[in-house]
């Protein structure tokens, strides 16, 4: 069906480029040449002379529907294909008619600067940009990708590639959809059964990313006309026959087209890559280049890092040098190859003729391209290069390499894959596998059980396996077109046979198709396990990127769809535009809505059997909401899955799972890195058992006076942001609101003066009355920070000063600064004033800054200012080293010996009564709003500070990343890690109690690296009781008691051979053996709940059903022993 281009009044010559839409409902139309889209042309027809759209022009389309503007741009050579666009009226314009960066479409202003300049939408791709970088994304944005095969694996790859953003995405799969496809194909609905998969899938993929055009490759077979494939840079094959794989592989290899082949069969999967000869990898690891300060370079070329700082380099890395004194020829020279000699030293080879090293210098790692050669598929079938995915299964990949070929041979012979759990078919596959193994040069021992299982599961189609390989294959696609990260060389096989259930039976009858949407899963696990999955009560904490992927997988596997099943989803956050790049359940129309609600609605549409089975909770899971997430809630759960992005929240949920003894699966991602962890009651350690390294921090004296890298200046600028726009307004508001605030302030020894000065400045001496006053204040701050403060520092420590040992003071990490002279024509100088003035105005509720104040006006106001010359203050003291005491710290004493100065400050403040109704507005830092001046201020302030100290500046993008503590994220890693989590969830639901069957996963798609290990067992302890030695689980065990008296409590544990020495609850000490009898007399007869309320002087909340006690005890040896806590069970 085609949707004609609507007629326009007074039409001009129309040119249309290929693009995509974010609308929920799309209709296709076919464009074959420019001639089709001239005025009056009919879509779908072409002239014989126009075989391809000419690539030398750029066209644009702008459409408006439901408040969403869609841009379409950048046309390259395309053959006949169906393009999905919104079923709304479109305005087509010739780009040459555009005179500026804005065009009005139905009355709405549209910023098309990005389209004209080829820029990247930072607001959408911000988190991914920190993974890939601008250059890699620009390369992706020039690439055309074809994905063939649109069952679960194919659509997962398509989803991830579309979200990542490529120039065009074309889908191929003319086969009719089957009901079993719904086991893993999340863009198919029951009413799509019988329709071509590509035709129904393409418009739904098109909704994911308004910058990725999606079309359908029109052909019955990809091998019918191989020349059609020339238009693509990458071809992805899923579910293709081995014959077609070989044919397309040869063509692609010979024509410089990158190829990715991926397949999944139940709990087995594989991927193959061929990126041709001399493939260049621009950045094999994706890690930030390391840099450091040089302490010495000897005559043999041995470089020592300053202060025994680890250099972080590896053999074969390359470095460049700058600011080296003596060996000046090293500065800015050709990168030199490194040979690591130790953690603090490395060699750069021959340095003869470069002079003698004197001092100073910086080294910086340089990423050098790596060139690799790929072999075509036919060669790799005979002698494969295999990347290990699980070192505990090192003997499996070669067997599966033969087994997968055996499945192709079986299907070629019988026209179908082996039947689920059919022994006759399995025997046939086993024999073919053995024959293939015998043909190779290397002897391969075939494990009969492994290959039979492969045959049993060949028709299986599991969502988590599609997620794992879909994330992996999509990342390989991005690697091929961007040159970013090291590709798989060239095969990877992976299985999760440990996920097979042992609590239920599997047989041919139980695994045969039922005509159900879960047939792909039933083929692997059997019908009984499907029923078990349906009656689970699971809690998902977080509905962001991992949460969306998790819910998708749960919907596809039928989790909680039964009469006893339920899914609870908790997330208090609202959807932001930057979420759309990886949280695929959300669309532009959802921005501003609650994540939990939108995610739940999306997966219920995906699987209608979930309707009424999802409970959304809009509260943060934490101590403050334990009346909501109470004992009844936790006790009703079968398991918990974390999808959180901060450690504190994850640790809290982990502690609750330990307390209520609920299994937990935790996972996280950081760019291309990801991990999954299983927490099992009485079996494993918990998430909190291990600690992440602390965040990097910098000494205050470094930030205040001696920065030497951009991270220092950004941290300094972030502090200034708080000192200017957050702290003082909050202090003023407290002064106005609290009648006794001055008295309280005066008690804060050592902090009285700055606090009172801050109030005085913001209410009296520096209070602005209009926006011009804010401009003046901003200009004064420039002078104070970037000129006066630097002059004062150089007065205290002149450039020629030396240390007590005679060494130059300004050497090593200390860089001598230079004061800045304000220049209104310098964009960074002016940018600082603009951002500072607007934020200061925001504090006071003064309008004007964002209402169109021109740069000329800022300059005019500043021209009329008189900036006094600065004279250094000889009484100012500056800390010279972090190991020395700060001379400005008062060590607990008041700043003055008497109160005269304090009283003078207090008297300078306006009376509180005169400030009735006054309230300043502190700035709440928000990194993702590009109009609020927050990142603008930090970027300008940081770079001005960097100019002071001759430090390389950072652009806004990098500054935002560091100041905003942004976690890099990409959809591919999220999808893969979520697949690993669900594979572990199968095991938990099955009830496995063998810790060796579980896997914690660690991946880095950039390298690529895959590591799996058994979870660490929970720690055990022992004590000697009256009946012998007792073993306890230090993490999961506890003692539980009813609400008995204290005397009964002591007797109860005495009967276990434990003498209680002390008993406490929270901060209240309830009992101690050393208490005198008269103090214990009244306590012994109290019930434990009464004892807690009496000592703490607080009632136990009504919703609380238990109280925790800690105790120290001695066992029968008379020694102190560590025992679990005690839980008092309250019956309310």
């Amino acid at each position: 069906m085609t949707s004609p281009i609507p007629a326009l009044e007074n039409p001009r010559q129309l040119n249309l480029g290929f693009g995509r839409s974010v609308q929920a409902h799309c209709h296709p139309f076919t464009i074959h040449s420019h001639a089709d889209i001239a005025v009056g042309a009919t879509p779908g027809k072409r002239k014989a002379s126009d075989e391809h759209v000419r690539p030398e022009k750029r066209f644009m389309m702008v459409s408006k529907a439901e408040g969403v503007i869609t841009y379409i741009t950048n046309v390259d050579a395309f053959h006949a294909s169906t393009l999905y666009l919104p079923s709304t009226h479109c305005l087509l314009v010739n780009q040459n008619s555009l005179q500026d960066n804005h065009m009005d479409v139905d009355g709405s202003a549209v910023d098309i600067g990005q389209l004209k300049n080829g820029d990247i939408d930072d607001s959408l791709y911000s988190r991914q940009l920190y993974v890939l970088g601008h250059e890699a994304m620009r390369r992706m944005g020039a690439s055309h990708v074809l994905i063939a095969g649109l069952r679960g694996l194919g659509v997962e790859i398509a989803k991830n590639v579309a979200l990542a953003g490529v120039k065009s995405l074309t889908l191929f799969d003319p086969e009719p959809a089957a009901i079993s496809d719904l086991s893993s194909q999340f863009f198919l609905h029951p009413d799509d059964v019988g329709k071509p998969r590509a035709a129904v899938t393409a418009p739904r993929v098109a909704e994911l990313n308004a910058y990725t055009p999606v079309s359908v490759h029109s052909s019955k077979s990809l091998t019918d006309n191989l020349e059609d494939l020339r238009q693509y840079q990458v071809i992805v094959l899923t579910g293709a026959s081995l014959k077609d794989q070989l044919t397309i592989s040869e063509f692609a290899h010979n024509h410089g087209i990158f190829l990715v082949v991926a397949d999944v069969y139940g709990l087995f999967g594989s991927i193959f890559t061929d990126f041709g000869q001399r493939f260049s990898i621009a950045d094999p690891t994706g890690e930030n280049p390391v840099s450091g300060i040089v302490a010495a370079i000897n005559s043999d070329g041995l470089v020592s890092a300053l202060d025994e700082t680890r250099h972080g380099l590896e053999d074969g890395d390359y470095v460049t040098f700058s600011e080296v004194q003596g060996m000046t020829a090293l500065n800015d020279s050709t990168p030199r190859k490194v040979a690591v000699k130790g953690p603090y030293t490395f060699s750069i080879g021959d340095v003869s003729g470069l002079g003698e090293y004197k001092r100073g210098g910086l080294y910086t790692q340089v990423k050098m391209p790596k060139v690799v050669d790929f072999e075509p598929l036919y060669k790799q079938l005979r002698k494969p290069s295999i990347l290990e995915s699980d070192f505990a299964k090192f003997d499996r990949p070669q067997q599966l390499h033969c087994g997968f070929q055996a499945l192709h041979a079986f299907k070629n012979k019988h026209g179908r894959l082996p039947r689920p759990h059919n022994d006759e078919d399995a025997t046939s596959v086993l024999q073919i596998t053995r024959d293939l193994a015998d043909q190779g040069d290397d002897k391969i021992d075939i494990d009969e059980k492994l290959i039979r299982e492969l045959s049993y599961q060949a028709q299986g189609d599991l969502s988590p396996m599609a997620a794992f390989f879909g994330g992996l294959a999509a990342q390989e696609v991005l690697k091929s077109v961007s040159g970013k990260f090291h590709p798989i060389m060239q095969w990877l096989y992976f299985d999760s046979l440990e996920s097979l259930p042992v609590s239920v039976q599997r047989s041919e009858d139980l695994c045969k198709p039922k005509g159900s949407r879960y047939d792909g899963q039933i083929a692997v696990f059997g019908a009984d396990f499907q029923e078990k999955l349906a009656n689970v009560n699971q809690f998902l904490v977080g509905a962001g990127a991992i949460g969306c992927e998790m819910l998708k997988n749960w919907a596809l596997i039928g989790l909680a769809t039964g009469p006893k099943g339920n899914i609870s989803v908790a997330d208090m956050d609202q959807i932001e535009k930057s979420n759309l790049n990886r949280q695929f359940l959300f669309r532009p129309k959802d921005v501003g809505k609650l994540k939990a609600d939108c995610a739940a609605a999306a997966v219920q549409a995906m699987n209608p059997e979930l309707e009424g089975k999802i409970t959304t909770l809009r509260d943060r899971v934490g101590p403050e909401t334990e009346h909501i997430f109470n004992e009844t809630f936790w006790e009703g759960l079968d398991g918990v899955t974390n999808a959180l992005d901060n450690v504190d929240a994850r640790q809290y949920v982990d502690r609750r799972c330990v307390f209520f003894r609920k299994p937990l699966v935790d996972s996280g991602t950081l760019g291309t890195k990801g991990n999954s962890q299983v927490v099992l009651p009485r079996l494993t350690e918990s998430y909190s058992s291990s600690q992440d390294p602390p965040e990097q921090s910098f000494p205050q004296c470094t930030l205040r006076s001696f920065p030497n890298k951009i991270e220092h200046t950004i941290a300094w600028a972030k502090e200034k942001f708080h000192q200017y726009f957050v702290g003082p307004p909050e202090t003023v508001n407290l002064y106005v609101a609290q009648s006794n605030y001055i008295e309280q302030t005066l008690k804060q020894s050592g902090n009285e003066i700055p606090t009172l000065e801050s109030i005085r400045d913001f209410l009296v001496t520096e209070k602005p009355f209009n926006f011009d006053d804010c401009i003046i204040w901003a200009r004064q701050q420039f002078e104070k920070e970037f000129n006066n403060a630097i002059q004062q520092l150089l007065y205290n420590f002149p450039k020629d000063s030396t240390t007590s040992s005679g060494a130059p003071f300004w050497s090593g990490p200390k860089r001598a600064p230079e004061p800045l002279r304000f220049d209104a024509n310098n964009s960074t100088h002016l940018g600082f004033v603009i951002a500072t003035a607007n934020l200061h105005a925001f504090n006071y509720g003064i309008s004007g800054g964002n209402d169109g104040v021109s740069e000329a006006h800022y300059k005019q106001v500043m021209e009329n200012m008189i900036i006094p010359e600065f004279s250094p203050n000889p009484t100012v003291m500056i800390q010279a080293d972090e190991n020395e005491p700060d001379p400005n710290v008062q060590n607990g004493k008041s700043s003055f010996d008497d109160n005269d100065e304090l009283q003078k400050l207090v008297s300078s403040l306006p009376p509180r009564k005169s400030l009735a109704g006054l309230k300043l507005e502190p700035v709440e830092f928000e990194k993702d709003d590009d109009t609020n001046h927050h990142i603008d201020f930090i970027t300008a302030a940081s770079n001005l500070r960097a100019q002071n100290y001759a430090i390389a500046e950072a652009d806004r993008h990098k500054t935002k990343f560091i100041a905003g503590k942004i976690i890099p994220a990409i959809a591919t890693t999220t999808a893969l890690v979520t697949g690993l989590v669900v594979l572990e969830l199968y095991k938990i639901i099955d009830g496995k109690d063998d810790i060796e069957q579980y896997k914690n996963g660690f991946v880095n798609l950039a390298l690529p690296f895959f590591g799996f290990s058994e979870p660490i067992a929970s720690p055990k302890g022992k004590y000697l009781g009256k009946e012998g030695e007792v073993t306890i689980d230090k993490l999961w065990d506890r003692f539980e008691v009813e609400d008995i008296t204290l005397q009964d409590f002591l007797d109860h544990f005495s009967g276990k051979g434990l003498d209680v020495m002390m008993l406490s609850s929270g901060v209240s000490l309830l009992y101690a053996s050393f208490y005198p009898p008269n103090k214990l007399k009244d306590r012994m007869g109290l019930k434990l709940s009464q004892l807690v309320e009496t000592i703490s002087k607080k009632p136990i909340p009504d919703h609380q059903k238990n109280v925790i006690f800690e105790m120290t005890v001695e066992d029968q040896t008379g020694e102190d022993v560590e025992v679990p806590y005690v839980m008092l069970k309250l019956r309310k």
Side-chain angles (χ1 to χ4, degrees):
M1 175 180 178
T2 60
S3 178
I5 300 175
L8 300 175
E9 294 183 7
N10 303 317
R12 302 177 182 177
Q13 176 69 31
L14 301 180
N15 290 321
L16 172 65
F18 286 85
R20 79 269 129 220
S21 167
V22 293
Q23 308 307 316
H25 303 288
C26 301
H27 296 295
F29 63 85
T30 304
I31 297 295
H32 294 286
S33 76
H34 293 157
D36 293 343
I37 45 182
V39 174
T42 303
K45 296 183 179 180
R46 65 171 180 174
K47 296 179 180 178
S49 60
D50 281 320
E51 288 297 320
H52 299 282
V53 176
R54 293 186 290 274
E56 69 275 6
K57 294 187 178 180
R58 291 289 182 266
F59 304 97
M60 176 180 306
M61 170 176 162
V62 184
S63 70
K64 180 175 183 290
E66 300 176 12
V68 178
I69 306 300
T70 299
Y71 306 114
I72 296 166
T73 187
N74 293 340
V75 182
D76 267 350
F78 260 88
H79 198 49
S81 60
T82 303
L83 173 69
Y84 287 85
L85 295 170
S87 54
T88 57
H89 291 292
C90 301
L91 175 63
L92 307 180
V93 298
N94 187 316
Q95 184 168 333
N96 296 330
S97 68
L98 301 175
Q99 301 300 317
D100 53 32
N101 282 346
H102 290 83
M103 181 178 70
D104 193 70
V105 181
D106 295 342
S108 298
V110 183
D111 188 343
I112 61 173
Q114 171 177 321
L115 298 176
K116 293 177 70 175
N117 300 325
D119 291 337
I120 296 168
D121 187 346
D122 283 16
S123 62
L124 176 67
Y125 290 118
S126 65
R127 303 308 187 262
Q128 180 176 291
L129 274 167
Y130 294 117
V131 182
L132 299 174
H134 284 81
E135 182 58 33
M137 284 202 59
R138 288 190 184 98
R139 292 175 183 172
M140 288 160 45
S143 304
H144 305 292
V145 179
L146 170 68
I147 298 175
L150 291 173
R151 298 183 70 200
L153 176 57
V155 78
E156 185 72 44
I157 300 169
K159 177 256 292 179
N160 293 327
V161 171
L163 289 172
V166 293
K167 189 169 188 179
S168 74
L169 176 61
T170 306
L171 308 180
F172 172 80
D173 192 337
E175 296 300 314
I179 189 66
S180 60
D181 292 341
L182 274 64
S183 291
S184 61
Q185 221 283 27
F186 45 85
F187 279 147
L188 290 180
H189 305 150
D191 57 1
D192 294 325
V193 172
K195 301 175 184 176
R197 289 193 193 106
V200 294
T201 301
R204 293 160 192 169
V205 174
E207 296 174 11
L208 293 172
N209 189 346
Y211 296 106
T212 299
V214 180
S215 57
V216 174
H217 186 91
S218 301
S219 174
K220 292 183 178 180
S221 170
L222 288 181
T223 57
D224 284 350
N225 184 359
L226 293 175
E227 289 298 316
D228 275 356
L229 304 181
R230 284 179 177 266
Q231 60 186 299
Y232 306 112
Q233 277 74 54
V234 196
I235 298 172
V236 182
L237 301 178
T238 71
S241 68
L242 184 57
K243 179 182 177 182
D244 283 356
Q245 290 178 14
L246 287 165
T247 301
I248 294 170
S249 168
E250 183 179 7
F251 180 85
H253 191 84
N254 292 336
H255 291 84
I257 301 170
F258 307 131
L259 177 70
V260 177
V261 181
D263 285 300
V264 291
Y265 301 104
L267 290 166
F268 298 88
S270 74
I271 186 171
F272 167 79
T273 63
D274 175 11
F275 298 165
Q277 296 289 312
R278 306 292 296 166
F279 179 76
S280 179
I281 308 166
D283 182 359
T285 68
E287 300 295 330
N288 291 326
V290 300
S291 61
I293 302 173
V294 176
I297 307 175
N298 69 14
S299 58
D300 296 324
L302 185 69
V303 181
S304 300
L306 184 72
D307 294 336
E308 291 197 345
T309 304
R310 290 181 177 271
H311 52 65
L313 297 167
E314 298 179 0
D315 280 335
D317 285 345
Y318 286 80
V319 295
T320 57
F321 293 86
S322 60
E323 302 182 18
V324 175
Q325 297 181 38
M327 290 184 178
T328 55
L330 276 179
N331 294 329
D332 303 320
S333 64
T334 304
R336 299 181 74 100
K337 193 173 184 179
V338 165
V340 173
K341 300 301 181 182
Y344 314 110
T345 56
F346 59 90
S347 173
I348 56 172
D350 183 20
V351 293
S352 59
L354 299 182
E356 183 178 352
Y357 175 81
K358 290 183 180 179
R359 64 172 178 267
L362 305 173
Y363 65 85
T364 303
Q365 182 187 9
V366 178
K367 294 293 186 79
M368 302 294 284
K370 179 181 179 181
V371 177
V372 294
D373 291 325
F374 287 80
E375 292 183 337
L377 180 60
Y378 77 91
K379 287 186 177 180
Q380 279 287 305
L381 282 175
R382 293 196 297 264
K383 196 169 183 179
S385 300
I386 300 177
L387 174 68
E388 292 285 351
S389 63
D390 188 343
F391 292 99
K393 303 175 181 179
F394 66 91
D395 59 336
R396 286 192 186 175
Q398 290 285 354
Q399 296 182 68
L400 294 177
H401 187 69
C402 296
F404 275 49
Q405 293 179 67
L407 290 180
H408 283 289
F410 182 96
K411 185 176 182 181
N412 187 54
K413 179 178 180 181
H414 298 277
R416 60 172 174 83
L417 287 168
R419 290 164 290 185
H421 226 277
N422 181 276
D423 286 323
E424 180 184 353
D425 289 354
T427 300
S428 177
V429 171
L430 177 61
Q431 187 57 51
I432 300 171
T433 303
R434 284 174 170 159
D435 292 343
L436 289 169
D438 291 340
Q439 295 173 12
D441 296 334
D442 300 324
K443 178 177 174 55
I444 302 174
D445 293 326
I446 298 299
D447 181 346
E448 179 177 341
K449 184 178 179 181
L450 176 70
I451 300 304
R452 284 189 174 276
E453 199 59 67
L454 175 62
S455 178
Y456 290 163
Q457 300 181 32
Q459 291 191 25
D461 191 10
L462 299 177
S463 172
M465 289 297 291
F468 179 90
F469 278 95
L472 185 58
Q475 190 65 60
E476 294 304 302
V477 170
L478 303 183
K479 290 176 185 179
S480 69
V481 296
S482 70
K484 183 88 171 184
F485 311 137
H486 202 294
I488 291 172
M489 302 288 294
Q490 292 185 244
W491 294 92
L492 179 137
Y493 290 91
F494 171 79
D495 73 81
S496 183
L497 290 183
E498 301 84 3
S499 298
L500 286 173
V502 295
S503 63
V504 297
Q505 295 294 315
R506 291 191 306 143
S507 65
E508 184 172 5
D509 183 60
L510 288 170
C511 294
K512 68 182 181 183
K514 315 293 182 187
S516 158
R517 65 178 295 136
Y518 308 116
D519 277 352
Q521 186 164 252
I522 291 172
V524 179
F525 298 137
D528 292 348
F529 190 66
Q530 187 62 47
E531 184 178 351
K532 208 167 187 177
L533 289 170
N535 290 288
V536 167
N537 188 346
Q538 194 76 10
F539 183 26
L540 177 65
V541 191
I546 291 177
C548 284
E549 293 288 338
M550 205 70 67
L551 284 171
K552 172 206 70 179
N553 279 278
W554 290 0
L556 295 172
I557 69 175
L559 190 78
T561 54
K564 298 179 182 178
N566 186 73
I567 295 172
S568 299
V569 185
D571 197 312
M572 64 177 292
D573 289 342
Q574 295 178 327
I575 298 165
E576 300 174 355
K577 184 179 179 183
S578 64
N579 300 148
L580 304 179
N581 173 238
R582 63 200 183 283
Q583 300 176 19
F584 90 105
L585 294 180
F586 307 140
R587 301 291 181 268
K589 64 182 176 60
D590 297 324
V591 171
K593 299 178 183 177
L594 285 168
K595 288 184 177 181
D597 291 345
C598 291
V603 295
Q604 286 175 100
M606 194 177 288
N607 183 353
E609 293 181 20
L610 275 175
E611 291 182 7
K613 298 292 183 180
I614 301 181
T615 304
T616 58
L617 300 154
R618 306 173 184 182
D619 301 281
R620 185 191 307 276
V621 183
E624 69 278 9
T625 56
E626 288 184 1
H627 62 290
I628 298 172
F629 303 97
N630 53 27
E631 284 83 353
T632 301
F633 174 84
W634 284 97
E635 288 168 357
L637 298 175
D638 294 313
V640 181
T641 302
N642 263 351
L644 296 163
D645 61 359
N646 73 86
V647 172
D648 289 342
R650 292 160 83 172
Q651 288 179 337
Y652 174 80
V653 173
D654 174 69
R655 291 195 299 271
R656 300 304 278 173
C657 288
V658 170
F659 182 80
F660 291 102
R661 294 170 177 159
K662 299 298 178 182
L664 166 70
V665 189
D666 188 276
S667 59
T669 67
L670 182 68
T672 59
K673 303 180 181 100
N675 76 286
S676 61
Q677 180 180 354
V678 187
V679 177
L680 303 167
R682 296 187 173 89
L683 283 180
T684 73
E685 69 174 14
S686 73
Y687 173 83
S688 304
S689 297
S690 58
Q691 299 295 324
D692 291 332
E695 288 187 12
Q696 184 183 26
S697 61
F698 306 113
Q700 278 300 310
C701 69
T702 299
L703 297 185
R704 285 196 294 254
S705 306
F706 308 113
N708 57 64
K709 54 185 179 180
I710 196 64
E711 287 81 2
H712 295 158
T713 68
I714 292 173
W716 176 88
K718 186 82 177 287
E719 283 192 2
K720 288 298 173 185
F721 181 91
H722 188 276
Q723 291 172 14
Y724 284 176
F725 314 118
V726 184
E730 290 177 345
T731 302
V732 167
N733 290 342
L734 288 173
Y735 169 72
V736 173
Q738 297 179 6
S739 60
N740 62 343
Y741 183 71
I742 291 293
E743 290 74 11
Q744 289 182 347
T745 301
L746 295 180
K747 293 178 182 178
Q748 298 173 8
S749 180
N751 199 40
E752 312 96 320
I753 300 300
T755 302
L756 293 173
E757 286 179 341
S758 174
I759 297 173
R760 179 201 61 195
D761 292 345
F762 265 64
L763 287 180
V764 183
T765 58
E766 297 179 357
K767 181 182 178 181
F769 294 95
N770 52 47
F771 190 72
D772 284 1
D773 289 344
C774 296
I775 297 174
I776 292 169
W777 184 83
R779 172 66 181 86
Q780 290 169 342
Q781 302 317 303
F782 179 99
E783 200 69 18
K784 173 185 172 184
E785 302 294 354
F786 308 112
N787 187 342
N788 300 354
I790 300 302
Q791 288 192 54
Q792 181 69 56
L793 180 62
L794 292 173
Y795 174 83
N796 285 54
F797 305 109
K799 290 186 178 182
D800 59 356
S801 57
T802 59
T803 65
S804 57
S805 64
F809 178 85
W810 294 105
S811 62
K814 290 185 172 70
R815 304 173 65 83
E818 288 287 346
L820 296 183
R821 299 295 180 186
F822 184 79
D823 178 2
N825 295 317
N826 183 302
S827 60
T828 307
H829 294 205
L830 183 60
F832 173 84
V833 171
I834 292 173
T836 304
N838 276 276
L839 291 170
H840 196 54
F842 176 86
N843 285 151
Y844 289 90
I846 295 173
S847 61
N850 287 323
D851 297 334
V853 176
S854 66
E855 290 187 1
H857 183 75
Y858 284 95
K859 294 178 181 179
Q860 181 182 359
V861 171
M862 290 186 288
E863 282 177 4
N864 295 326
M865 291 177 63
I866 298 175
I867 304 297
E869 288 294 325
F870 175 75
S871 297
N873 185 345
T875 67
V876 169
M877 295 181 289
I878 298 175
Q879 185 182 11
D881 189 273
E882 63 181 286
N883 297 319
E884 297 179 1
D886 187 345
N888 298 299
V889 174
Q890 299 301 316
N891 296 320
K893 296 182 180 180
S894 176
S895 301
F896 297 89
D897 295 332
D898 55 51
N899 290 330
D900 290 346
E901 187 67 22
L902 292 174
Q903 291 305 320
K904 181 187 288 187
L905 276 171
V906 171
S907 63
S908 71
L909 302 180
R912 290 180 58 257
K913 292 181 181 179
S914 68
L915 302 173
L918 174 69
K919 184 178 181 181
L920 300 189
E921 189 70 37
V923 175
E924 185 175 345
F925 180 65
E926 171 51 58
K927 60 186 177 294
D928 287 321
D929 182 353
D930 290 340
T931 66
N932 63 13
H933 300 286
H934 297 187
I935 296 298
D936 294 336
F937 170 83
I938 294 173
T939 303
S942 168
N943 284 338
L944 289 170
R945 182 81 162 169
Q947 290 175 20
N948 281 139
Y949 287 87
I951 297 169
E953 298 174 36
D955 60 15
R956 192 179 192 279
H957 179 71
K958 181 176 180 179
T959 303
K960 177 179 174 180
F961 174 66
I962 297 172
K965 297 182 179 179
I966 290 176
I967 299 173
I970 190 169
T972 51
T973 314
T974 304
L976 184 148
V977 167
T978 309
L980 292 177
V981 169
V982 178
L983 291 173
E984 297 306 305
L985 185 61
Y986 284 143
K987 304 172 188 178
I988 293 173
I989 294 171
D990 184 43
K992 297 182 190 296
D993 57 7
D994 179 3
I995 195 172
E996 294 182 359
Q997 297 301 304
Y998 291 91
K999 299 281 188 181
N1000 288 343
F1002 310 89
V1003 301
N1004 186 340
L1005 297 184
L1007 298 179
F1009 168 81
F1010 302 86
F1012 297 93
S1013 65
E1014 291 175 17
I1016 298 174
S1018 54
K1020 304 298 189 289
K1022 296 178 181 179
Y1023 70 86
L1024 186 63
K1026 287 190 173 180
E1027 297 182 1
E1029 192 173 73
V1030 179
T1031 301
I1032 55 172
D1033 190 307
K1034 292 182 178 181
L1035 178 64
W1036 296 97
D1037 281 345
R1038 64 173 174 247
F1039 298 110
E1040 296 184 0
V1041 298
E1042 301 294 330
D1043 195 8
I1044 56 180
T1045 65
L1046 175 58
Q1047 183 63 63
D1048 290 339
F1049 180 90
L1050 299 176
D1051 294 342
H1052 173 75
F1053 282 97
S1054 180
K1056 294 178 177 289
L1058 297 173
D1059 294 326
V1060 179
M1061 298 292 102
M1062 286 192 291
L1063 179 69
S1064 63
S1065 177
V1067 297
S1068 300
L1069 183 60
L1070 308 177
Y1071 167 83
S1073 60
F1074 53 80
Y1075 277 176
N1078 61 341
K1079 188 170 186 177
L1080 294 174
K1081 180 180 177 181
D1082 295 334
R1083 301 188 183 192
M1084 287 299 189
L1086 292 177
K1087 287 189 174 182
L1088 294 174
S1089 60
Q1090 296 172 321
L1091 182 63
V1092 170
E1093 292 182 329
T1094 300
I1095 304 302
S1096 69
K1097 298 180 181 180
K1098 293 179 181 179
I1100 299 172
D1102 291 336
H1103 69 270
Q1104 191 171 322
K1105 294 186 177 181
N1106 55 66
V1107 180
I1108 302 303
F1109 297 96
E1110 300 286 347
M1111 60 181 182
T1112 59
V1113 300
E1114 292 179 356
D1115 68 356
Q1116 294 299 289
T1117 66
E1119 299 291 333
D1120 288 345
V1121 291
E1122 184 179 350
V1123 294
Y1125 65 90
V1126 182
M1127 185 179 80
L1128 164 62
K1129 296 185 291 184
L1130 299 173
R1131 299 189 180 277
K1132 295 185 177 182

